Amino acid sequence: MFMTVEIANEICGTLTGATHGTPFGEGVDVWKVGDKMFVLIGLRNAGITVKCADADTAAMLIDVGAALPAPYLKRGGWVLIPWDTIKDRSEMEHRIQQSYDTVFAGLTKKKQAEITAAS
């Protein structure tokens, strides 16, 4: 199965409190939770940019060829996962969920409670 922007957007849309926007212009999809980005899909449509739990995980994914350094997001454990390296939908769901969970965990307890209560 070929992974696409549409599939990524569909998956992101199922996550509690996730919001979609195009703050950088049409063709750049940004997903946030609590006003913090957890997914970026850019103009070149090369793949999906996600946040890893830590820099070591990001480096490991890059080292094994499962990801590339994220353009414009060089620090903080962000990686670009090319569409053709994602084997199936469950892998994409996993990468998106991990990014969401990492960003959500960094929110204040108050913000986390507001998001959870609103669902």
Side-chain angles (χ1 to χ4, degrees):
M1 173 183 235
F2 183 70
M3 296 297 114
T4 64
V5 173
E6 293 77 20
I7 294 170
N9 283 334
E10 178 185 320
I11 294 166
C12 290
T14 67
L15 300 173
T16 302
T19 58
H20 176 262
T22 55
F24 306 114
E26 213 45 50
V28 181
D29 293 285
V30 173
W31 284 91
K32 295 180 178 184
V33 61
D35 294 328
K36 301 287 183 185
M37 182 173 69
F38 69 92
V39 164
L40 171 72
I41 307 167
L43 283 172
R44 294 191 185 115
N45 195 18
I48 184 169
T49 301
V50 294
K51 184 164 180 62
C52 296
D54 53 51
D56 289 339
T57 301
M60 182 272 304
L61 289 171
I62 292 166
D63 287 347
V64 300
L68 302 169
Y72 312 111
L73 298 168
K74 301 291 185 193
R75 297 183 205 164
W78 288 92
V79 295
L80 170 67
I81 302 178
W83 297 123
D84 62 356
T85 65
I86 302 170
K87 295 173 185 65
D88 56 31
R89 185 182 176 104
S90 66
E91 182 180 348
M92 181 180 280
E93 288 170 345
H94 172 73
R95 294 283 172 228
I96 291 171
Q97 185 70 56
Q98 290 292 337
S99 184
Y100 172 91
D101 291 345
T102 299
V103 173
F104 187 86
L107 300 174
T108 65
K109 297 296 179 198
K110 180 180 177 184
K111 186 57 115 173
Q112 289 176 2
E114 288 171 3
I115 292 166
T116 304
S119 64

